[in-house]
Amino acid sequence: MQRSFSTPAIILNLKPQGENNSTVTIITPEKGILYVTLYGGPKSKMKSIVSQWNSGIIYLYENPEKNQIKISDFEVKSYHNSFSQNLFKLYAASLAAELLIKTSCGGSNQQSWNLISGLLDGMELSTEEQSRLGLIRFLWRYLEILGIQPDTSCCGFCDNSFLTPKFAPDNICYYNIVENNCICDECISSHNQTFALKIQGARYLTGISVLTPAEVRKLQIDKESFYQIRDLIFFLIENNIGTKLNSIETGMGIL
């Protein structure tokens, strides 16, 4: 049995374990979320490089007798230094990490790895405003992995497409919690709804699902639409995973 192995990894979280050691939560493309042990005191070289949000190649040793995996080395490729200087980026990264951990990557390790790698690397190179849209795109795509992404392309009752000129960008549609879809304002009277969305916001979410990442980055939405789709996505996440996310609860004024 091969006990030593290496893998790409991102450090998601660290917690003290005893006096000098740490339990480190990482995500890898193949194995998803792993909990590994970092040995060494504060002056250890490994303590300085195994730091939250660092990504690179991690070298691990698995001890089946102790049911434990320890870190042997870590070759850092990206440090994501801007996260410590921008509160939004820090909370956005924390939200993404907490969601992946609590949902075990939705059973799709490689897809989850691709999403969070893209989010973290993208935010490192982006402004806070760009990063806010980046978080929306990450969360919306992750809702698809979880199987709870609603259809925002058309009315779930009359089937009219929100992408046609029939609907102006400032027209309103409504998220229907019962059917997990959106309904136009002409059909809403006899259906339950929880969130009002401008058509502009519904089109943006549809664009995330059907356009390439490069094409989506060119799309723009106004502030009202942004906050509407943000609140909808936060609701969908917490309502469907059955638990509150600390990052959302403590960071609502920041996110």
Side-chain angles (χ1 to χ4, degrees):
M1 178 180 179
Q2 186 175 359
R3 297 190 176 189
S4 298
F5 62 98
S6 62
T7 178
I10 300 171
I11 309 298
L12 299 182
N13 194 19
L14 297 95
K15 291 184 178 179
Q17 182 189 110
E19 193 169 324
N20 292 317
N21 306 325
S22 300
T23 298
V24 184
T25 307
I26 65 174
I27 181 173
T28 74
E30 292 187 1
K31 297 180 181 293
I33 303 297
L34 289 178
Y35 299 93
V36 298
T37 301
L38 174 64
Y39 289 97
K43 295 183 179 180
S44 165
K45 168 201 167 187
M46 295 296 294
K47 286 282 187 179
S48 63
I49 60 175
V50 179
S51 183
Q52 192 175 33
W53 314 129
N54 285 359
S55 63
I57 304 299
I58 198 165
Y59 296 83
L60 302 169
Y61 177 83
E62 185 171 8
N63 187 333
E65 287 80 13
K66 293 184 178 181
N67 193 28
Q68 181 187 71
I69 303 174
K70 74 173 184 178
I71 301 175
S72 302
D73 202 357
F74 188 37
E75 182 182 349
V76 182
K77 302 292 186 181
S78 180
Y79 290 88
H80 301 110
N81 291 325
S82 69
F83 294 8
S84 62
Q85 303 162 3
N86 183 284
L87 200 55
F88 170 78
K89 291 183 180 182
L90 179 62
Y91 267 87
S94 298
L95 171 55
E98 184 181 5
L99 180 58
L100 292 180
I101 291 169
K102 287 191 174 179
T103 59
S104 301
C105 293
S108 300
N109 296 336
Q110 183 67 58
Q111 286 180 277
S112 297
W113 165 265
N114 292 341
L115 284 182
I116 194 167
S117 296
L119 174 67
L120 300 187
D121 291 345
M123 288 199 300
E124 181 64 23
L125 300 173
S126 301
T127 64
E128 179 177 317
E129 183 178 359
Q130 293 168 333
S131 297
R132 287 183 181 278
L133 288 175
L135 177 63
I136 291 295
R137 294 192 294 269
F138 166 86
L139 294 173
W140 185 250
R141 289 168 178 145
Y142 195 68
L143 288 178
E144 182 177 13
I145 290 177
L146 294 177
I148 56 176
Q149 185 191 91
D151 184 1
T152 59
S153 66
C154 64
C155 174
F157 185 73
C158 68
D159 208 33
N160 281 322
S161 172
F162 295 141
L163 305 178
T164 64
K166 173 181 172 66
F167 298 99
D170 286 337
N171 284 166
I172 301 297
C173 65
Y174 299 87
Y175 170 70
N176 177 8
I177 188 172
V178 176
E179 300 294 337
N180 193 35
N181 59 15
C182 289
I183 299 178
C184 71
D185 56 356
E186 294 179 0
C187 299
I188 195 61
S189 59
S190 60
H191 295 268
N192 294 325
Q193 82 276 357
T194 53
F195 289 92
L197 294 177
K198 291 172 69 173
I199 293 297
Q200 179 185 149
R203 288 173 176 170
Y204 185 82
L205 293 176
T206 299
I208 297 174
S209 300
V210 302
L211 299 177
T212 67
E215 290 172 328
V216 175
R217 285 193 292 270
K218 296 178 182 178
L219 299 179
Q220 298 295 322
I221 56 173
D222 61 30
K223 285 188 177 180
E224 183 179 7
S225 295
F226 170 82
Y227 286 116
Q228 286 176 341
I229 62 179
R230 182 206 63 177
D231 291 347
L232 171 62
I233 289 172
F234 284 0
F235 167 79
L236 288 170
I237 290 170
E238 293 192 325
N239 186 60
N240 283 278
I241 69 174
T243 183
K244 296 291 185 181
L245 294 179
N246 184 62
S247 303
I248 292 179
E249 300 305 303
T250 61
M252 183 52 73
I254 300 166
L255 294 169

